[in-house]
Structure formats: structure tokens, C-alpha cells
């Protein structure tokens, strides 16, 4: 029996307006136009309450990597619900799904990782890391090392600690963030710079801003550096090749812990299991969420390297931290089924050798359009920059909202992507077929044409 009433679109919209506060939303402006009600989904398509079919170029919110309607995941949840719908991992208990999942995740992760701490989301995972990092340095007899360095325009979540780690100015402004002991350095966003340096020079310069910050705040006060391998919510910012090797060198030289935030890049999106594999970094922590369960149920966690875990276990006593849903059995069962599915269908290799290169080539061709100033895509994570002039790479006037105009027109045409200012980003499901990739790119081109007419009218 369905638990949800059947209602008309208008009724849903009215109830939504009256009772539902949405995340990251200007409610006053939403109430003027009403929400788009998504009622079902299948494969790479979502359907709204009017029956419109929309190709989901964002995998939900960077998470439905296995695509919608996967019976394996539904069956795993149903079976686990019957067997053991909930039990905790506190008070010296554990259950097979949490144990099995921890073991599976360490199996596919880089060799320094052998332990997993579970959380309910990416934000919670990053909160866990703030506490673990500081505890680690306390146990190492260096309690002065509590400062965590992050980057401007990073996104690490929405809880108080995770939003502090993030570098989103409007988030900081709203509620007195960041909390003490978190500082920020430049992001490796070459297109967004004045482009006076070559990308490689710029990559080195931004990496070295980390070293400058370490010296400024004092090397023996710095605990860790956190970064997304490729910034996602900030606009799919792919660092120049020189960036990550230099960051790794600096972390090694100053002995600071490296946190590779894999909430988007983890579990295959770049054609490797983790972003750290793709960029060949050696992180001490990897927070994950989203793609671990393909978003079918909320679950996150932290991979903790031996360097840290051994100290916490040997010297730490009780770590006073945990969530009711740390290692929720049904979420773990779905994540296990999801990882098996990714393995059985060779989806990571498929991104590396098949659909990744296929979509990347078509995506690059969008760069021929007069409105497109730059394109980039790694694995199945891409962006292009809307510009007013291809020659000077000048942007449209902010008031024109070029990115939003494009995004709203594209969804009318049946494809969903995100606009970060005038940067358009996509991250489609791993199961995207060649024909669906063609559809996505053709509709994007047509929408660029319509957008150009609208913006220059
Ligand atoms: N780290 C990264 C790198 C993320 O992208 C989080 C942590 C937090 O995860 P949770 O599960 O707490 O949301 C994220 C989340 C967007 C968007 O608009 C991106 C995220 C969340 C919401 C919106 O691109 N990423």
C-alpha cells in the first residue's frame, strides 16, 4: 500500500508552500513561482508531476550514480528491513551490514586506509574529522596544532563545523562562521583568475598559498589541510596538473594531515574509485557520502588512515563522538549492494574507458559555441563557462543572470544541470548510455542557441 496520498500538482505545490522549508532556498521567491514536484524516476530520467521527462544531468545531487530504479538496491533494503531494520553500533555492539561495509570500503580504498567511521551524511563526516584531527594532535602531544586550513569557495557541508570548513562567504556571513581555528587559502580556479599566469604556473602559485598560510599562522599550529580533489558545488573546478603534487609535497614537509573530501568524487565518478587515486595523493582522511549508496539511503563516513587510527586506538581511550545512525543497517545493506553493482557492471572502468571519454569529447565540442568560454570534464564531472565574448572571455552583466537563464531553458528542453553563477555544471549517472549522452549534449547546444538569442535580444 502506498504511504503517500495521490494529489494534483497544484495541491502538492500549495502544501509545499504552506508547510515546507527547503534547503538553500529563498522561500519568498520560491513562493511566487512554486516548486517543481518530482514524482518518480527511472534510469537516468526523472519525471515531474505534469509527466515531463527530464534527463538528470546531476544524478540527483551528485549521488544517484547507479541510476534510478535499481532492483538490487531495492531488494537489499527490503531484505535488511525485515532482518534488522535498526540497531546501533554503540556500547560494544555491531551488526553484519556495518562490519561488511567497512571491510568492503577499505578493500577498494588506497592502502593506508583500513578503518571506517560511519556517519549519516557528508556534513556529519566532516564534523567527525574536525574532532578526530584535533584529538589526534592532542594524543601526539602537540595540542597547539588545532588549525585546519581549507579553501575559499570550497563546499564541505552545512553543519556548523562543515560550513566553517567550507569557503562559501554567504554561508559564513549568515551565522558568525567560521568557528575558531579554521582559515582559508586560494582555490585553483584558473579560468576565474586574471589568467596572467599559465595554468601550470597558476596551479603552483595557488598550492604555494597553502605554504604561505602555514608560515603565517605558524607551522606548529597547523593540524590539517582539507580539499575536494575537484571542487564540486563551487563549480567543478579542475586544478591544473601542477597543483596536487605540490600540495602533497607541502603537507609532507610540514607533517600536516591531508583530508581529501571524496563526498562527490568517491566511488568512481572520476573513473577511479577515489579522487585520491586519480590525482595520486596520499590523504590521511577521506570523508565520503552520496555515491556510496547511490543516494538511495542517507549514509556517509570517514576513511581513517593507519597513521591516525593507530594512535586513536592505542592511546585515545574513548572517542566521545557518534551518531544514532552511524552505520545504519539498512543504509549499509544498500551501500553494499551498490558497491557490488558498481563492481559487477564495471562502472568505474566504464567511466575511464568508455562513457567518460565519449561524453568528454562531445562536451569539449560545446566549446565551439559562441557563448562558451571554457569546457572541462574529468570522468563524469564537467563544467562550461558562459561568456559574453569568446575573444576577451568577458562575462555577461551579473544582472542578466546568464547561467540561470540557460539552466531554466535547459530544463524546459528536458535536461537538468546546475548553474553556479555563469558556470554550468553536470555530473550524470554512471549508467548514462551513448544515446543519452548524445541527447544531453544536443539539447545543451540547442539551449545555448536559445539562450544566446534571449541574452542578446
Ligand atoms: N563535501 C562535499 C565535497 C560535498 O559536495 C558535502 C561534503 C556535504 O554532504 P551532505 O551529505 O551533508 O550534504 C558535500 C555536499 C550543490 C550541492 O548544490 C552539493 C552538496 C550538497 C548540496 C548541494 O552542488 N554537496
Amino acid at each position: 500500500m502506498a504511504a503517500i496520498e495521490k494529489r494534483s500538482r497544484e495541491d502538492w505545490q500549495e502544501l509545499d508552500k504552506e508547510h515546507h522549508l527547503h534547503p538553500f532556498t529563498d522561500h519568498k521567491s520560491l513562493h511566487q513561482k512554486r516548486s517543481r514536484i518530482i514524482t518518480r524516476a527511472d534510469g537516468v530520467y526523472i519525471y515531474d508531476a505534469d509527466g515531463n521527462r527530464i534527463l538528470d544531468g546531476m544524478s540527483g545531487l551528485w549521488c544517484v550514480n547507479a541510476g534510478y530504479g535499481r532492483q538490487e538496491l531495492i531488494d537489499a533494503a527490503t531484505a535488511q528491513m525485515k532482518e534488522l531494520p535498526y540497531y546501533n553500533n554503540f556500547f560494544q555492539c555491531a551488526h553484519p551490514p556495518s562490519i561488511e561495509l567497512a571491510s568492503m570500503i577499505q578493500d577498494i580504498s588506497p592502502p593506508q586506509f583500513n578503518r571506517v567511521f560511519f556517519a549519516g551524511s557528508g556534513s556529519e563526516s566532516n564534523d567527525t574529522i574536525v574532532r578526530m584531527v584535533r584529538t589526534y594532535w592532542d594524543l601526539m602531544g602537540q595540542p597547539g596544532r588545532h588549525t585546519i586550513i581549507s579553501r575559499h569557495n570550497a563546499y564541505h557541508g552545512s553543519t556548523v563545523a562543515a560550513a566553517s570548513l567550507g569557503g562559501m562567504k554567504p554561508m559564513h556571513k549568515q551565522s558568525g562562521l567560521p568557528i575558531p581555528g579554521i582559515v582559508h587559502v586560494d582555490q585553483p580556479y584558473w579560468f576565474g583568475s586574471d589568467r596572467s599566469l599559465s595554468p601550470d604556473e597558476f596551479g603552483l602559485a595557488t598550492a604555494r598559498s597553502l605554504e604561505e598560510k602555514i608560515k603565517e599562522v605558524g607551522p606548529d599550529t597547523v593540524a590539517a589541510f582539507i580539499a575536494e580533489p575537484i571542487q564540486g558545488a563551487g563549480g567543478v573546478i579542475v586544478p591544473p596538473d601542477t597543483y596536487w603534487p605540490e600540495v602533497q609535497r607541502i603537507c609532507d614537509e610540514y607533517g600536516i594531515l591531508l583530508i581529501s573530501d571524496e563526498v562527490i568524487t568517491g566511488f568512481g565518478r572520476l573513473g577511479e574509485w577515489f579522487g585520491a587515486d586519480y590525482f595520486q595523493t596520499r590523504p590521511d582522511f577521506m570523508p565520503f557520502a552520496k555515491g556510496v549508496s547511490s543516494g538511495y539511503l542517507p549514509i556517509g563516513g570517514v576513511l581513517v588512515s593507519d597513521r591516525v587510527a593507530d594512535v586513536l586506538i592505542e592511546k585515545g581511550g574513548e572517542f566521545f563522538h557518534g551518531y544514532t545512525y552511524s552505520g545504519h543497517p539498512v543504509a549499509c545493506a544498500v551501500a553494499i549492494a551498490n558497491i557490488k553493482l558498481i563492481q559487477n557492471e564495471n562502472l568505474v572502468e566504464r567511466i575511464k574507458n568508455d562513457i567518460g571519454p565519449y561524453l568528454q569529447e562531445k562536451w569539449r565540442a560545446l566549446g565551439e559555441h559562441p557563448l562558451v568560454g571554457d569546457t572541462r570534464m574529468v570522468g563524469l564531472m564537467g563544467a562550461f563557462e558562459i561568456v559574453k565574448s569568446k575573444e576577451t572571455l568577458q562575462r555577461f552583466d551579473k544582472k542578466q543572470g546568464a547561467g540561470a537563464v540557460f539552466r531554466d531553458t535547459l530544463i524546459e528542453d528536458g535536461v537538468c544541470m546546475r548553474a553556479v553563477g555563469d558556470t554550468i555544471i553536470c555530473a550524470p549517472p554512471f549508467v548514462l548510455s551513448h544515446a543519452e549522452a548524445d541527447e544531453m549534449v544536443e539539447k545543451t547546444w540547442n539551449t545555448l542557441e536559445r539562450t544566446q538569442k534571449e541574452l542578446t535580444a
Side-chain angles (χ1 to χ4, degrees):
M1 199 180 69
I4 313 291
E5 295 270 339
K6 277 216 181 317
R7 299 182 195 274
S8 68
R9 168 174 51 80
E10 291 77 9
D11 285 353
W12 286 124
Q13 288 174 322
E14 185 58 23
L15 284 174
D16 183 62
K17 171 174 176 277
E18 292 303 319
H19 304 300
H20 184 193
L21 293 173
H22 295 219
F24 279 92
T25 294
D26 173 343
H27 288 91
K28 203 167 171 186
S29 82
L30 179 67
H31 290 172
Q32 280 154 13
K33 55 181 191 188
R34 303 295 169 99
S35 310
R36 181 183 304 279
I37 311 294
I38 304 299
T39 52
R40 66 188 183 90
D42 187 31
V44 302
Y45 294 98
I46 53 175
Y47 295 82
D48 70 16
D50 294 324
N52 293 310
R53 185 177 91 147
I54 300 158
L55 196 160
D56 183 5
M58 283 309 297
S59 305
L61 209 45
W62 319 86
C63 52
V64 188
N65 296 347
Y68 296 95
R70 299 307 305 253
Q71 196 60 44
E72 299 90 325
L73 307 193
I74 300 161
D75 290 345
T78 310
Q80 187 57 45
M81 284 252 181
K82 286 184 182 156
E83 186 76 17
L84 181 71
Y86 177 76
Y87 203 72
N88 63 68
N89 291 282
F90 288 52
F91 315 129
Q92 303 172 29
C93 289
H95 45 66
S98 62
I99 301 167
E100 191 74 32
L101 180 60
S103 156
M104 258 180 119
I105 291 177
Q106 67 81 33
D107 239 9
I108 55 172
S109 70
Q112 70 271 30
F113 293 108
N114 285 294
R115 273 84 164 218
V116 180
F117 185 98
F118 287 115
S121 67
S123 302
E124 286 181 7
S125 304
N126 281 324
D127 272 47
T128 299
I129 288 177
V130 171
R131 302 210 50 218
M132 273 193 188
V133 159
R134 292 179 172 174
T135 304
Y136 167 80
W137 285 115
D138 290 348
L139 293 169
M140 294 295 286
Q142 299 185 54
R145 277 206 192 235
H146 271 202
T147 297
I148 302 177
I149 303 179
S150 179
R151 304 185 295 186
H152 299 302
N153 198 36
Y155 189 77
H156 297 295
S158 248
T159 53
V160 168
S164 296
L165 290 173
M168 303 280 181
K169 287 221 168 64
M171 289 178 78
H172 288 174
K173 208 170 141 203
Q174 238 168 16
S175 31
L177 303 181
I179 56 173
I182 295 178
V183 296
H184 297 80
V185 295
D186 292 339
Q187 54 175 336
Y189 183 26
W190 181 80
F191 187 86
S193 74
D194 64 10
R195 295 184 291 271
S196 60
L197 300 177
S198 72
D200 278 353
E201 289 166 346
F202 181 77
L204 277 183
T206 36
R208 284 180 190 152
S209 75
L210 169 62
E211 190 162 31
E212 283 152 27
K213 184 60 87 178
I214 293 169
K215 288 181 180 155
E216 177 194 321
V217 300
D220 50 4
T221 68
V222 180
F225 175 61
I226 182 168
E228 304 147 81
I230 293 175
Q231 277 155 273
V236 182
I237 292 159
V238 181
D241 293 343
T242 49
Y243 181 78
W244 272 114
E246 184 66 2
V247 166
Q248 183 69 63
R249 177 196 68 76
I250 294 165
C251 289
D252 290 345
E253 187 167 328
Y254 294 89
I256 67 178
L257 300 166
L258 175 60
I259 305 157
S260 180
D261 185 334
E262 302 275 355
V263 168
I264 287 176
T265 48
F267 299 92
R269 180 150 297 279
L270 305 185
E272 301 283 350
W273 278 106
F274 293 95
D277 299 318
Y278 184 85
F279 287 109
Q280 302 200 329
T281 54
R282 284 173 278 101
D284 300 290
F285 288 96
M286 297 202 301
F288 60 85
K290 296 188 188 274
V292 64
S293 64
S294 279
Y296 277 53
L297 282 175
I299 176 168
V302 182
L303 273 152
V304 186
S305 66
D306 291 343
R307 171 183 175 187
V308 175
D310 289 349
V311 172
L312 293 178
I313 292 166
E314 286 306 317
K315 300 195 197 168
E318 181 170 348
F319 184 50
F320 301 106
H321 178 84
Y323 309 104
T324 301
Y325 300 129
S326 284
H328 188 286
V330 184
C332 287
V334 169
I336 291 166
N338 178 59
I339 294 170
K340 284 187 183 159
L341 181 159
I342 293 173
Q343 287 170 328
N344 292 340
E345 298 183 5
N346 294 315
L347 292 180
V348 184
E349 293 77 13
R350 182 170 187 268
I351 292 178
K352 188 173 186 166
N353 300 318
D354 177 37
I355 188 64
Y358 185 83
L359 184 64
Q360 287 155 22
E361 194 189 328
K362 307 217 156 228
W363 194 256
R364 225 175 293 124
L366 290 171
E368 311 275 305
H369 196 278
L371 277 193
V372 176
D374 183 47
T375 70
R376 50 187 181 267
M377 184 176 281
V378 177
L380 286 183
M381 187 170 178
F384 64 77
E385 305 280 359
I386 297 184
V387 292
K388 189 172 179 181
S389 157
K390 224 178 160 66
E391 284 65 48
T392 62
L393 300 180
Q394 191 203 338
R395 296 280 201 188
F396 283 93
D397 191 326
K398 267 208 169 72
K399 278 194 264 142
Q400 285 186 273
V405 170
F406 173 87
R407 177 204 57 209
D408 294 347
T409 314
L410 185 68
I411 205 159
E412 276 173 30
D413 285 347
V415 177
C416 173
M417 289 183 196
R418 282 240 300 107
V420 180
D422 290 349
T423 309
I424 303 301
I425 61 179
C426 80
F430 297 0
V431 293
L432 186 79
S433 70
H434 286 207
E436 288 157 352
D438 294 348
E439 178 189 342
M440 189 173 125
V441 175
E442 270 162 35
K443 287 186 167 168
T444 300
W445 182 275
N446 295 341
T447 298
L448 280 166
E449 295 279 286
R450 284 178 63 189
T451 305
Q452 188 180 18
K453 284 197 192 106
E454 189 161 333
L455 290 174
T456 51

